[in-house]
Amino acid sequence: MSISPRIVPMGLTGMLVNFSGRLSDAANRAALAFRAAVDAQGWDWVSETTTSLTSTLVLFDPLAVTQSYVQGALGDLLASRDWTQAPWPGDRRLWRVPAVFGGADGPQLTEAAALAGVSSDTAIADICAAPVRVLTLGFAPGQPYLGSLAPHWNVPRQAGLTPQVPAGALVVAVRQFVLFANPSPTGWRQVGLTKLPLFDLGSDQPFALQAGDELLFAPVSEHDFALLETD
């Protein structure tokens, strides 16, 4: 896929490297790989890096370097390869995540499946058939956007809001899942529930997941799911 990356100043201390205005596997791969490459440079003027769905944000110390210097350094790195063909980050992990679907823990599974044009059983099989990638973290600390799903899962958001879904809720819309880090309102449809703890403020690594990780959901019964709370 051909993409045209841009380097855009973000205030006085940031530089955004944007690979596309629309999510694709190529643009997400490029954003993750470029961030990893910036981190590997060991530039002492970089204070922080992060990614969105299709961009890499580099924050820098304006007392150490000029904005034009940063833009030039990032431009040279950007021109060094085709980032859409770069390998995925080498430190990414595969998580196997038990989940319960339907019923009280996935109250909108039937509705979401109908919008996708499949039965509820087929929807569960679809969701658990293959790993989904953490495209980015956002909205709440440690909260992953997961995808991209097959085209028939391009289901719309709800017209209104669900007042609250619980922590661990697996919701779906626009060919993506979101796994909620804490109780929250949402306009996406809840199809399942997990017990994966996503955010621990007291930990040295407060976010369980990082962009590039993959999650493979495994359906379990309500009985076995309840045992996860005591095990």
Side-chain angles (χ1 to χ4, degrees):
M1 176 181 178
S2 175
I3 60 176
S4 300
R6 299 180 301 130
I7 302 177
V8 183
M10 301 291 285
L12 298 176
T13 62
M15 203 68 70
L16 186 75
V17 180
N18 175 254
F19 290 93
S20 177
R22 177 174 294 185
L23 174 62
S24 66
D25 280 351
N28 186 247
R29 175 194 291 267
L32 298 182
F34 191 78
R35 179 194 184 185
V38 170
D39 291 344
Q41 297 301 309
W43 289 323
D44 57 8
W45 42 265
V46 173
S47 57
E48 185 178 353
T49 63
T50 190
T51 58
S52 68
L53 293 173
T54 62
S55 301
T56 300
L57 177 65
V58 179
L59 300 180
F60 61 90
D61 180 358
L63 300 180
V65 289
T66 64
Q67 193 177 67
S68 61
Y69 180 89
V70 174
Q71 192 160 4
L74 294 177
D76 289 343
L77 184 60
L78 190 60
S80 67
R81 68 176 304 165
D82 178 358
W83 293 96
T84 65
Q85 300 300 316
W88 297 108
D91 59 348
R92 69 196 190 111
R93 298 155 295 174
L94 173 64
W95 299 74
R96 292 177 173 84
V97 182
V100 63
F101 294 95
D105 295 322
Q108 293 162 302
L109 173 66
T110 300
E111 181 183 351
L115 289 168
V118 297
S119 68
S120 294
D121 287 344
T122 299
I124 296 170
D126 272 0
I127 292 167
C128 299
V132 285
R133 187 171 66 256
V134 179
L135 302 170
T136 191
L137 302 177
F139 184 77
Q143 184 162 297
Y145 288 74
L146 307 165
S148 294
L149 306 181
H152 62 275
W153 280 104
N154 191 24
V155 301
R157 296 177 176 88
Q158 301 176 101
L161 286 176
T162 299
Q164 182 169 284
V165 295
L170 182 66
V171 303
V172 64
V174 292
R175 296 186 63 187
Q176 295 175 56
F177 294 125
V178 174
L179 190 56
F180 272 82
N182 48 258
S184 177
T186 183
W188 295 30
R189 292 174 175 83
Q190 184 183 353
V191 298
L193 187 67
T194 79
K195 296 294 184 184
L196 181 63
L198 297 171
F199 178 60
D200 180 359
L201 184 60
S203 172
D204 292 338
Q205 298 291 332
F207 295 172
L209 304 175
Q210 61 187 15
D213 283 356
E214 292 187 330
L215 278 66
L216 180 62
F217 295 106
V220 296
S221 67
E222 291 183 2
H223 174 267
D224 289 345
F225 189 74
L227 294 178
L228 294 174
E229 292 185 319
T230 57
D231 183 358

